[in-house]
Amino acid sequence: MMMFVAIVSPQVASATASEEGDEINPQEIIFHHLGDAYGWEVPFSHELRMPLPIIVQDNAGAWHMFSSNKLLNGAEYTDGDITFRINHGEEYNGKVVQVMADGSVFRPLDLSITKNVCALFIAAILVALMAFSMVSYYKKNGMKAPRKVMGAFEALMSFIYDGVLKSSLGNKAPKFAGYLMTVFFLIFFMNLLGLIVIFPGGANLTGNVAVTLVLAVCTFLVANLKGNKHYWKDILWPDVPLWLKFPLPIMPMIEVFGMFTKPAALCVRLFANMMGGHMIVLVLTLLIFIFVKFGVAAVTTTTVLSMAFSLFMLCLDVLVSFIQAYVFTMLSTLFISFAVCEEGHEE
């Protein structure tokens, strides 16, 4: 219930703020909460934010660093003769732009520490702390099984390693365990942090296609850079009738195309599932405010049903957080195993 309150309260604040104009824009509210930002919103307040550093390079090549608080509520920040603001409109919406002398805007090189970037650092730190804590424990206690939180992490590690990596990669599992286990726990922590909007959670990392694309590209690079001769032979000269390979390389073209569809499927599957889960909770919450105009009876019934279904979806998202991390790791393991398995290894 505490997690439910934590995730719903900022949405309530947003909807209330929109309602001051007598109209609620569900699309604007949903994409505002699912998108990236230059600050971290404080719970129960739509105006207050935890500032994050903005780092941009202007059109002359000079770098500027300042707090995102200086650009709140449409304010402009001037550093010397250079002026910056967060643009609102069709062009560069929600991004820091440089205001030129003629009133036009220029999109500077932006290396700011946004909410998503900060959340990614937090998730990476949590994964590193978990891993180093386990190493430290085993150095002190030998092979004695840990308990409580560490015991849960060890069980999860054993489940992934024995049930996914070892069963697919066999004796090559230790070689790729570092990458695959890191991917699993990084996605798992990012998913869980995304369910809570209060700091240090709240960033919709795995619902951001850029993040899932980078993870998918990493799997693509590992699989293809480590691929053996048998793997590349199956791609460039597969065991099919000659007329399918020469003079028109039909099958090689299909195989090369398949190399890129695999990471694309990884990227879209994780992104769509996590984005959809967050969006459903937001839509169910907004129903409360949409039905306000229909009277007390309607809004009371809608509130009860909306909160019940939102709580159910939130609990389901906790399970989905594990499932999506598991599926991404399992498919990455399979793609890597196809690339490194020896000829005749049918399984």
Side-chain angles (χ1 to χ4, degrees):
M1 180 60 72
M2 291 179 65
M3 291 179 65
F4 175 73
V5 172
I7 195 170
V8 167
S9 58
Q11 278 74 330
V12 172
S14 299
T16 303
S18 299
E19 196 176 15
E20 292 175 358
D22 296 327
E23 289 292 336
I24 293 177
N25 188 338
Q27 180 178 348
E28 181 181 351
I29 294 172
I30 289 172
F31 283 101
H32 169 75
H33 285 279
L34 294 180
D36 200 1
Y38 290 98
W40 221 302
E41 289 187 1
V42 176
F44 306 104
S45 173
H46 188 56
E47 300 298 329
L48 298 178
R49 292 191 177 190
M50 296 174 57
L52 294 172
I54 292 179
I55 307 169
V56 290
Q57 184 186 44
D58 62 29
N59 62 333
W63 287 95
H64 305 264
M65 185 172 70
F66 51 93
S67 171
S68 60
N69 270 352
K70 297 183 182 297
L71 300 181
L72 283 180
N73 303 319
E76 294 185 348
Y77 171 73
T78 301
D79 187 0
D81 58 347
I82 304 297
T83 301
F84 297 100
R85 73 164 185 246
I86 296 179
N87 208 39
H88 296 286
E90 294 183 1
E91 188 178 22
Y92 310 131
N93 184 42
K95 302 298 182 182
V96 172
V97 297
Q98 178 183 343
V99 183
M100 310 302 291
D102 59 358
S104 62
V105 296
F106 169 76
R107 179 79 167 101
L109 178 61
D110 192 347
L111 299 181
S112 304
I113 307 298
T114 62
K115 182 171 70 171
N116 280 354
V117 174
C118 187
L120 185 58
F121 288 156
I122 293 171
I125 290 171
L126 290 176
V127 173
L129 287 176
M130 180 207 66
F132 289 129
S133 296
M134 294 293 292
V135 171
S136 176
Y137 175 86
Y138 282 115
K139 282 183 177 180
K140 292 180 179 178
N141 300 281
M143 296 307 294
K144 182 180 178 182
R147 298 180 179 275
K148 298 180 181 179
V149 177
M150 279 194 177
F153 281 135
E154 186 200 36
L156 196 53
M157 287 179 182
S158 298
F159 175 74
I160 298 299
Y161 184 81
D162 295 332
V164 179
L165 275 64
K166 202 169 182 180
S167 62
S168 297
L169 292 168
N171 59 2
K172 290 185 171 62
K175 184 177 180 180
F176 299 97
Y179 167 70
L180 292 169
M181 296 294 286
T182 301
V183 165
F184 171 80
F185 281 103
L186 183 62
I187 295 175
F188 185 53
F189 279 118
M190 287 192 298
N191 289 345
L192 291 180
L193 288 173
L195 297 180
I196 309 172
V197 292
I198 58 175
F199 186 84
N204 185 30
L205 283 174
T206 46
N208 186 318
V209 70
V211 175
T212 59
L213 178 61
V214 170
L215 292 172
V217 168
C218 289
T219 295
F220 172 80
L221 292 176
V222 171
N224 288 281
L225 292 178
K226 294 295 184 179
N228 56 25
K229 292 186 292 184
H230 174 62
Y231 169 72
W232 287 108
K233 175 185 174 298
D234 281 345
I235 290 177
L236 302 177
W237 196 257
D239 294 328
V240 295
L242 185 61
W243 63 272
L244 289 174
K245 299 181 286 187
F246 182 84
L248 292 177
I250 298 174
M251 285 305 298
M253 289 174 60
I254 293 175
E255 292 291 343
V256 171
F257 180 72
M259 288 172 52
F260 296 96
T261 57
K262 291 173 183 176
L266 281 177
C267 169
V268 174
R269 178 184 286 106
L270 179 59
F271 160 72
N273 279 282
M274 299 312 300
M275 172 70 82
H278 289 290
M279 191 172 292
I280 289 173
V281 174
L282 286 168
V283 170
L284 289 172
T285 305
L286 287 173
L287 287 177
I288 300 172
F289 302 94
I290 293 173
F291 276 86
V292 166
K293 62 181 70 175
F294 294 102
V296 177
V299 74
T300 301
T301 304
T302 305
T303 300
V304 173
L305 293 176
S306 177
M307 291 184 65
F309 280 111
S310 296
L311 183 58
F312 170 76
M313 285 303 304
L314 188 60
C315 293
L316 186 62
D317 273 346
V318 176
L319 177 62
V320 171
S321 297
F322 167 77
I323 292 175
Q324 290 305 316
Y326 174 81
V327 170
F328 191 99
T329 307
M330 179 184 67
L331 292 178
S332 296
T333 304
L334 289 176
F335 296 156
I336 293 173
S337 69
F338 294 155
V340 301
C341 69
E342 301 297 333
E343 186 173 3
H345 183 59
E346 299 285 333
E347 295 179 356

